[in-house]
Amino acid sequence: LEVLADAYDGRPLNKPNDLWIDPGGGVYFSDPVYGRGERNQDGEHVYYLSPDRKRLVRAATGFRQPNGIVGTPDGKTLYVADIDTLRRFDVNTGAPLSPRPFRNASFVNDIARGPDTAVYITDSTDNLWAADPTDGAGRWKQDALLYRHLTAPVIVGDAIAVGDVEGYIHYL
């Protein structure tokens, strides 16, 4: 294994978590703290590592605790799960777009982009959410899998799949 990035501005990263590789080969990743309590950076952010792996920049700020991350196929929009909100960013400018709060969500975790272009998100109370990629508006919430401790959503053909703590795979 090769470490691609371990510090920003001369200080260690917090705890790099999820990543998304953009169409040009650059890497976006979230850098939360999670339970350690010790922050190495001045907050919890999203970073971008250039395709040549020589330049690391802070791509997005203002998070409470960034987690899952995915972008659009054209690489123009970045989605980041942040506690109870789906945040969207313009990749070219870094400007935030309208955030989408998820009422009654408990810590939104992982994100996948579906074949229907929706963004699918799991939360820590085992809900699977879908959001419209153009405006972040919620499409539906699947709560039939409560108490299953869902894994990150994965796109399999035309279906969304999530695993659970018992080893079952659920296709939706």
Side-chain angles (χ1 to χ4, degrees), residues 3-17 29-33 36 38-49 56-58:
V3 175
L4 299 178
D6 61 359
Y8 175 77
D9 202 20
R11 298 178 65 196
L13 294 168
N14 293 318
K15 190 172 181 184
N17 189 27
F29 64 91
S30 56
D31 187 37
V33 172
R36 274 189 1 210
E38 144 189 354
R39 240 185 217 154
N40 298 318
Q41 293 292 322
D42 62 355
E44 301 179 38
H45 309 289
V46 168
Y47 294 90
Y48 175 74
L49 182 62
L56 181 66
V57 296
R58 191 173 280 168

Side-chain angles (χ1 to χ4, degrees), residues 96-172:
L97 304 170
S98 59
R100 167 65 172 112
F102 287 93
R103 287 174 183 72
N104 302 318
S106 176
F107 195 75
V108 290
N109 292 318
D110 296 302
I111 301 177
R113 192 183 56 254
D116 59 354
T117 72
V119 177
Y120 294 88
I121 303 141
T122 56
D123 72 14
S124 62
T125 54
D126 302 321
N127 294 306
L128 178 66
W129 302 79
D132 186 295
T134 57
D135 62 9
R139 285 192 180 171
W140 54 264
K141 173 186 149 191
Q142 168 63 278
D143 56 9
L145 301 172
L146 290 177
Y147 312 111
R148 303 298 290 201
H149 304 286
L150 302 178
T151 64
V154 176
I155 309 309
V156 180
D158 290 334
I160 308 305
V162 291
D164 69 24
V165 71
E166 294 177 13
Y168 292 99
I169 297 175
H170 306 274
Y171 292 93
L172 308 168

Side-chain angles (χ1 to χ4, degrees), residues 59-72:
T61 62
F63 297 97
R64 291 188 294 164
Q65 197 167 53
N67 194 354
I69 187 167
V70 72
T72 55

